[in-house]
Amino acid sequence: MAQQRTLVLIKPDAVRRGLVGEVLARLERKGLVIEQLRMRTMDAPLADAHYAEHVGREYYEGLKTFMTSGPLVSLVVSGDEAIPVVRKLAGATDGRKAEPGTIRGDLSVSNQQNLIHASDAEESAKREIDLWFAA
Ligand code: CDP
Ligand code: MG
């Protein structure tokens, strides 16, 4: 038993498509706990900080345009091994390749507009929670 907290973003495509409830329901039905929840629109500096390791990649400008294109929902989610558990619920990055049964595999056919962000390790979870939910 290792309780973890992870940062989840329900991305602007999910908000536009009316899938916020669907994504929240999947997290809740799994047994995870939604500790914090906020709707906001990412600005360019927050995008650069959140996706620091991606700045400069060939897809980054498109990713930033997408992520700042409208409101998203940020969450802190907790539970036993919540970091890998949420990554598994999200599925592979590319919705066309993600397994059916996952959020991306069931609901996305895009490598960019893939509905959800989830922290990938304890260190990134801490960094991202601080970034999005600083006191
Ligand atoms: O989100 P995840 O950790 O699964 O993937 P990533 O490789 O860390 O990439 C972060 C985000 O960048 C993805 O979720 C996509 O939205 C976007 N991306 C993209 O637009 N084009 C790519 N070739 C790869 C990723
Ligand atoms: Mg990632």
Side-chain angles (χ1 to χ4, degrees), residues 35-61:
E35 287 194 359
Q36 303 206 60
L37 181 154
R38 181 179 170 193
M39 180 172 262
R40 67 185 279 186
T41 301
M42 214 179 196
D43 61 15
L46 181 56
D48 291 347
H50 176 81
Y51 280 126
E53 65 183 330
H54 301 273
V55 172
R57 302 264 174 88
E58 97 286 335
Y59 55 81
Y60 183 67
E61 287 305 315

Side-chain angles (χ1 to χ4, degrees), residues 9-17 41-42 47 51 59-72 104 108 110-117:
L9 302 177
I10 304 177
K11 294 183 176 183
D13 57 329
V15 175
R16 276 193 287 274
R17 291 175 58 194
T41 301
M42 214 179 196
Y51 280 126
Y59 55 81
Y60 183 67
E61 287 305 315
L63 175 61
K64 177 153 78 172
T65 298
F66 162 54
M67 289 299 295
T68 59
S69 66
L72 54 71
R104 290 161 167 173
S108 168
S110 173
N111 192 30
Q112 179 170 87
Q113 302 203 12
N114 57 7
L115 304 166
I116 182 168
H117 165 83

Side-chain angles (χ1 to χ4, degrees), residues 89-133:
L89 289 181
T93 304
D94 187 336
R96 296 166 299 190
K97 296 174 184 152
E99 287 294 324
T102 65
I103 292 166
R104 290 161 167 173
D106 285 348
L107 302 169
S108 168
V109 286
S110 173
N111 192 30
Q112 179 170 87
Q113 302 203 12
N114 57 7
L115 304 166
I116 182 168
H117 165 83
S119 307
D120 63 7
E122 292 208 25
E123 196 181 342
S124 53
K126 183 183 182 330
R127 186 183 75 80
E128 293 170 3
I129 289 168
D130 287 347
L131 188 62
W132 285 87
F133 289 95

